[in-house]
Amino acid sequence: MAQHFSLAACDVVGFDLDHTLCRYNLPESAPLVYNSFAQFLVKEKGYDKELLNVTPEDWDFCCKGLALDLEDGNFLKLADNGTVLRASHGTKMMTPAVLAEAYGKKEWKHFLSDTGMVCRSGKYYFYDNYFDLPGALLCARVVDYLTKQNNGQKTFDFWKDIVAAIQHNYKMSAFKENCGIYFPEIKRDPGRYLHSCPESVKKWLRQLKNSGKILLLITSSHSDYCRLLCEYILGNDFADLFDIVITNALKPGFFSHLPNQRPFRTLENDEEQEALPSLDKPGWYSQGNAVHLYELLKKMTGKPEPKVVYFGDSMHSDIFPARHYSNWETVLILEELRGDEGARSQRPEESEPLEKKGKYEGPKAKPLNTSSKKWGSFFIDSVLGLENTEDSLVYTWSCKRISTYSTIAIPSIEAIAELPLDYKFTRFSSSNSKTAGYYPNPPLVLSSDDTLITK
């Protein structure tokens, strides 16, 4: 594979919407997501009202890449070889001694070094995006509550209530029905929660289109919410930018359900209509699958193998399945790289607006894209050495997946919007260094340390 990646070489440029094209004001959106679940648990399921009270310090628990073991209520941070680097029971961090006794140096029982583990299961849940993270804090606090209630019980059965809370707030009809807390609040005050796309990004999208690229929008959000977001961030004429818009895509199944692909459906007034046997022309659709989409892209480009690049923020829903099943190029939006910007410049106020504190959180709350004191870096962590030996730094499982399945990783689309389309990015590859694919800079913790060991 070539060492460099260029947008100019791609025929098709696809985008996820939430936290990719549409950036959220995290200090405001995270508490809104948390409250949408917590209110449901308290009012509908009888959970303790204390769940509704969140202090600024509580947000430090949030860290992307954690796995929740649904049976024992433990949260785990995994090394690239599947061993457990840190763990908590609920929000209570395990001491090194307890961690060693519970997990030792062996692989976590559900770890699979191949691709199988990226699928969610009834036994565990991975938190890998900013919609998920507030739920991690809520679940951890639920485990605290249940442990206290039931004298340290070992098994937990709260996940069905979390699923019910998600369904209540985010089901397909919730936007139209003004159901739950989340959608009514976003509709009421979108400017509080959403960042408009900068002019540089809008200009860049038009430049891609004018250079003959086919532009796709593929989102798991439903069409009514998609329209609200796009009109706010891009303007009322946003649909002119995209050749094909696919909503309710049900990723990762959009890519991975082989050979039983979901059919595409047409939409009328945001209601799904009849199933289509194939995709014959550009337009706005719901559900569908990557195989039928690729057949249309062949027709539109006149090429037997058009080259597609897809931008997304979720390793689970976007990056891994697009690369693994469809063999697309993938650009990971990794806001943790934004968290480094203030540290690099020594002037944190310049990394506004994400660092801007919302009134929910107060002045001390940790922005979700910066390192957690409890969990440490998203990218690396130390493994305790034996007596008289130094601790070793290892890559996290999340970090390894970035370099395995992403072509490049960037903090935001804005970071590349003013580059020429033929700019040559150094891609992640086994022949390059582990930091090669990060643009414009690798994470500080990786670039400042050369003592990392790999297994």
Side-chain angles (χ1 to χ4, degrees):
M1 188 179 276
Q3 187 177 359
H4 293 102
F5 162 75
S6 165
L7 285 168
C10 298
D11 304 297
V12 182
V13 185
F15 300 93
D16 172 45
L17 180 56
D18 296 285
H19 299 285
T20 298
L21 262 183
C22 177
R23 275 187 45 233
Y24 285 74
N25 180 16
L26 295 177
E28 296 286 358
S29 64
L32 177 61
V33 173
Y34 180 95
N35 287 330
S36 73
F37 297 149
Q39 295 273 4
F40 180 86
L41 292 187
V42 171
K43 290 177 180 172
E44 304 297 328
K45 299 293 181 180
Y47 281 74
D48 187 2
K49 286 189 178 68
E50 187 55 33
L51 287 177
L52 302 175
N53 301 321
V54 186
T55 69
E57 294 75 23
D58 289 334
W59 289 102
D60 183 62
F61 184 82
C62 293
C63 176
K64 272 193 343 200
L66 300 182
L68 166 58
D69 189 316
L70 295 173
E71 185 180 36
D72 57 25
N74 291 348
F75 286 82
L76 313 172
K77 181 183 184 183
L78 299 176
D80 60 0
N81 66 351
T83 54
V84 179
L85 293 166
R86 302 192 193 198
S88 72
H89 180 68
T91 63
K92 310 294 185 289
M93 300 303 293
M94 293 184 187
T95 64
V98 172
L99 182 69
E101 187 181 343
Y103 296 104
K105 294 191 183 300
K106 58 184 185 295
E107 280 186 2
W108 178 46
K109 63 188 175 185
H110 297 304
F111 184 78
L112 295 168
S113 55
D114 64 12
T115 55
M117 199 177 66
V118 298
C119 300
R120 286 165 184 164
S121 86
K123 296 177 180 174
Y124 55 83
Y125 189 91
F126 277 103
Y127 291 91
D128 90 330
N129 63 69
Y130 291 119
F131 267 146
D132 277 351
L133 273 190
L137 175 59
L138 179 63
C139 287
R141 298 184 75 210
V142 166
V143 170
D144 290 347
Y145 164 66
L146 294 175
T147 303
K148 194 171 162 187
Q149 284 284 102
N150 300 307
N151 300 319
Q153 69 176 46
K154 292 286 190 289
T155 56
F156 296 85
D157 186 26
F158 63 87
W159 190 248
K160 63 183 187 305
D161 296 332
I162 299 292
V163 171
I166 294 169
Q167 173 64 12
H168 174 69
N169 279 281
Y170 300 96
K171 64 186 176 184
M172 195 164 183
S173 59
F175 186 94
K176 190 174 283 187
E177 294 170 6
N178 247 19
C179 177
I181 288 174
Y182 182 82
F183 289 130
E185 182 59 21
I186 295 278
K187 282 193 224 178
R188 187 186 68 78
D189 190 3
R192 179 175 174 181
Y193 301 102
L194 310 174
H195 293 307
S196 289
C197 277
E199 273 309 312
S200 61
V201 172
K202 295 178 190 175
K203 186 177 170 186
W204 178 76
L205 290 169
R206 287 192 291 270
Q207 186 186 1
L208 286 168
K209 184 105 168 141
N210 293 338
S211 68
K213 310 296 179 198
I214 293 170
L215 266 57
L216 311 174
L217 184 61
I218 308 174
T219 174
S220 290
S221 289
H222 300 305
S223 57
D224 43 16
Y225 185 53
C226 171
R227 189 175 287 104
L228 179 145
L229 294 183
C230 288
E231 285 179 355
Y232 183 82
I233 67 168
L234 292 168
N236 293 339
D237 59 350
F238 76 90
D240 297 342
L241 289 169
F242 300 102
D243 297 277
I244 301 168
V245 176
I246 300 164
T247 56
N248 193 26
L250 301 166
K251 296 177 292 181
F254 181 85
F255 298 101
S256 63
H257 280 190
L258 304 170
N260 302 312
Q261 296 103 355
R262 292 189 192 95
F264 281 94
R265 294 179 179 275
T266 54
L267 285 158
E268 203 170 291
N269 297 323
D270 295 317
E271 298 284 343
E272 291 184 345
Q273 304 299 308
E274 75 277 5
L276 302 172
S278 63
L279 199 59
D280 297 326
K281 59 183 181 187
W284 188 308
Y285 299 96
S286 191
Q287 296 197 39
N289 64 85
V291 174
H292 288 172
L293 171 61
Y294 198 64
E295 289 302 315
L296 175 59
L297 296 176
K298 288 179 189 177
K299 281 189 209 166
M300 291 174 71
T301 59
K303 295 185 177 182
E305 291 187 0
K307 188 170 182 179
V308 185
V309 59
Y310 187 63
F311 288 71
D313 70 299
S314 168
M315 180 58 68
H316 170 77
S317 300
D318 301 316
I319 302 303
F320 167 76
R323 167 61 59 85
H324 180 69
Y325 297 105
S326 297
N327 201 31
W328 292 358
E329 301 278 13
T330 52
V331 179
L332 175 65
I333 304 296
L334 191 63
E335 288 209 16
E336 281 66 23
L337 297 175
R338 285 184 68 85
D340 279 352
E341 289 173 4
R344 285 183 193 280
S345 66
Q346 300 290 300
R347 296 171 65 187
E349 70 274 9
E350 287 185 0
S351 52
E352 212 265 331
L354 273 184
E355 265 63 5
K356 191 176 180 181
K357 304 299 185 288
K359 63 184 179 186
Y360 273 110
E361 294 191 282
K364 294 186 203 161
K366 174 191 84 76
L368 292 192
N369 62 348
T370 55
S371 210
S372 158
K373 292 190 182 78
K374 283 190 171 181
W375 292 105
S377 167
F378 173 70
F379 302 97
I380 59 170
D381 213 332
S382 57
V383 175
L384 293 175
L386 300 170
E387 207 172 332
N388 302 323
T389 64
E390 288 187 20
D391 294 354
S392 304
L393 286 174
V394 296
Y395 292 104
T396 61
W397 182 67
S398 298
C399 186
K400 182 182 180 182
R401 292 169 79 208
I402 291 170
S403 59
T404 305
Y405 298 112
S406 312
T407 303
I408 59 171
I410 60 176
S412 64
I413 290 174
E414 189 179 356
I416 66 168
E418 293 183 1
L419 297 174
L421 294 186
D422 60 359
Y423 182 89
K424 288 182 168 55
F425 297 93
T426 304
R427 63 166 70 239
F428 288 111
S429 76
S430 54
S431 59
N432 288 331
S433 78
K434 279 276 201 299
T435 58
Y438 294 103
Y439 179 88
N441 298 295
L444 275 174
V445 290
L446 297 187
S447 55
S448 62
D449 200 292
D450 54 10
T451 60
L452 275 163
I453 60 168
T454 54
K455 299 182 182 178

